[in-house]
Amino acid sequence: MRSVGVVRKIDNLGRITIPKEVRGNLEIKEGTPMGVYVDGGKVIVKKYEPQCVFCNSTEDVVDFKDELVCSECLSEIEGKVT
């Protein structure tokens, strides 16, 4: 992970801003859904990508009974239901 040399303070509501240059480089626009993850002592912020609850694939993900499932796993589920 490389540093971009920018330090931001957390405001009184617990927010930080992502520098304009970083948003531009990563094509993050207003309204882009972002995921916040914790990895050990690190906070990771990245573009949110829906993923399959079974295989973590981000390809062809659909909502199936309030869960996100990829088309491959959905086909496997439907094949096992008789």
Side-chain angles (χ1 to χ4, degrees), residues 35-67:
V36 179
Y37 308 89
V38 175
D39 181 14
K42 298 176 186 173
V43 176
I44 299 169
V45 179
K46 65 181 191 174
K47 288 182 184 179
Y48 172 73
E49 289 185 283
Q51 60 186 33
C52 177
V53 295
F54 298 111
C55 69
N56 296 324
S57 171
T58 57
E59 309 252 340
D60 300 321
V61 177
V62 296
D63 187 287
F64 176 74
K65 298 191 178 202
D66 295 326
E67 296 291 346

Side-chain angles (χ1 to χ4, degrees), residues 3 5-6 16 19-20 22 26 33 37 43 45 54-55 57 69-70 77:
S3 173
V6 178
I16 59 169
K20 182 178 182 176
V22 173
L26 298 175
Y37 308 89
V43 176
V45 179
F54 298 111
C55 69
S57 171
V69 181
C70 71
I77 291 168

Side-chain angles (χ1 to χ4, degrees), residues 64 71 73-82:
F64 176 74
S71 58
C73 288
L74 186 57
S75 294
E76 189 175 328
I77 291 168
E78 290 172 339
K80 290 183 179 183
V81 176
T82 56

